Amino acid sequence: MSNIVCANVDKNYGAINVIKDFNLEVADREFIVFLGPSGCGKSTLLRMVAGLEEISGGDVMIGGTRVNDLEPRDRGVAMVFQNYALYPHMTIYDNIAFGLKRMKVPKVEIDQRIRAVSATLGLDAYLERKPTELSGGQQQRVAIARAMIKTPKVFLFDEPLSNLDAKLRNHMRIEIARLHQKLQTTTIYVTHDQLEAMTLADRIVLMKGGAIEQVGTPAEIYERPRTLFVAGFIGTPNMNFLDVTAHSDGESWRLEGDGFRFRASRQVFDLRDGQDLTLGVRPSALVSCPDVVGTENLLSGAIDLVEFHGDDALVTFHAAGREIGALVPAATAPTPGTQVAFSVNSESLHVFDRTGLSMRRQSRGDCIQGTVC
């Protein structure tokens, strides 16, 4: 078993508390991604698991063993850094072998393990080269090979793709996903890139200000954001937000704003009559209405900007005093100045109170912070 448990973990720098009562259980073989903006504490937390930062409070356990006071080399973890951390004067072979040599592993075994790891990562042809003779993606694979060769209980990745260009990031992301499928090693991966998180993670831990905002699968976090922050952080293009007031209307809620009205189910949202709220609508949920029928669940205005995204185009228009974005097929994108109308299915609505909490009735699997989601 190589599960990881963080129980009431705190990190202080003097009087500044940067990690606040962090609780999480990472299951054996699970791929967890710590996601959040710069300064949210995700890398600090990873370094505490690795043993590179002291823990101010609480416990970190790996495979059932409390590791707070263990040296990094005794924790059974291997870490891949953002800057590769390769020795420029050594060959690729010697870079990969470095850790095993320090552990006094026999030369024959080192060579066997290097050949096996190199074959897995496609590095056989580069073992006699120096790091400066390799591309960024190849250097990152060497850093991963150096971690893999120790056969760790846990892999820790600290923004490993940040220094690569977009094409290489996509390629390396796929390689890391395939590597995890093959090795099934418990993994924690830190990134600020939501695409990496959504495509790699079994579960995402979305952080803000040193605390967990939400834990869940990529689908859960995208489809059921528990806070306004999560809704605004996850999803590209960004979610549209509108100020509304709730009014009881028979078996549904009427959500009224400046010149528009939406209808939402009482079974889905737990609201109060007269409550001021924030309505969220993803650009992909807006459907063009050439023939406008009725006035509910409708946003209209004149196109201000058209951004080409390949198969899709993001069109921007103003409604209710806000800038609204909608995704449309690029081939049918309207031109600036065109008057447009978009409808929204009630099932696609997100509603938040003024504190930023979702007003959707909770079901099993919804989670803000906890060990099981």
Side-chain angles (χ1 to χ4, degrees), residues 194-217:
Q194 61 170 293
L195 180 60
E196 287 180 25
M198 298 289 279
T199 54
L200 286 172
D202 294 324
R203 285 190 299 157
I204 295 171
V205 179
L206 185 51
M207 297 179 64
K208 176 189 176 186
I212 295 176
E213 280 282 307
Q214 185 171 351
V215 179
T217 66

Side-chain angles (χ1 to χ4, degrees), residues 350-363:
H350 300 268
V351 182
F352 306 90
D353 68 12
R354 285 295 191 247
T355 69
L357 288 178
S358 173
M359 302 309 292
R360 184 181 293 272
R361 295 183 186 276
Q362 290 193 39
S363 61

Side-chain angles (χ1 to χ4, degrees), residues 68 127 328:
N68 290 40
L127 292 179
V328 300

Side-chain angles (χ1 to χ4, degrees), residues 9 11 13 19 34 41-55 60 67-68 70-72 75 77 79-83 156-158 188 190:
V9 171
K11 177 61 180 178
Y13 292 107
I19 301 292
F34 290 167
K42 55 189 184 295
S43 289
T44 300
L45 191 59
L46 190 78
R47 290 173 65 85
M48 285 195 287
V49 174
L52 303 177
E53 291 275 359
E54 290 186 2
I55 300 168
V60 173
V67 299
N68 290 40
L70 293 183
E71 293 294 323
R75 297 189 180 202
V77 304
M79 191 161 177
V80 179
F81 296 91
Q82 178 180 350
N83 63 358
L156 304 176
F157 289 86
D158 190 9
I188 299 179
V190 164

Side-chain angles (χ1 to χ4, degrees), residues 34 56-57 69-70 74 95-96 114 136 165 174 195 203 205 208 224-225 238 241 250 263 315-316 320 330 356:
F34 290 167
S56 302
D69 302 318
L70 293 183
D74 299 323
N95 265 281
I96 297 172
I114 288 177
D165 62 41
I174 293 169
L195 180 60
R203 285 190 299 157
V205 179
K208 176 189 176 186
R224 289 177 170 251
N238 293 338
F241 295 113
R263 194 165 293 275
V315 298
T316 303

Side-chain angles (χ1 to χ4, degrees), residues 339-352:
Q339 195 71 24
V340 293
F342 292 90
S343 66
V344 183
N345 190 308
S346 294
E347 295 178 357
S348 299
L349 299 178
H350 300 268
V351 182
F352 306 90

Side-chain angles (χ1 to χ4, degrees), residues 245-285:
T245 301
H247 299 283
S248 180
D249 193 355
E251 296 184 357
S252 63
W253 293 105
R254 194 172 69 255
L255 305 176
E256 295 190 345
D258 184 11
F260 65 90
R261 182 169 66 242
F262 284 80
R263 194 165 293 275
S265 170
R266 282 181 177 271
Q267 295 180 339
V268 177
F269 297 106
D270 185 14
L271 310 179
R272 299 191 314 273
D273 195 36
Q275 187 176 11
D276 290 329
L277 302 159
T278 299
L279 178 71
V281 182
R282 293 201 183 278
S284 57

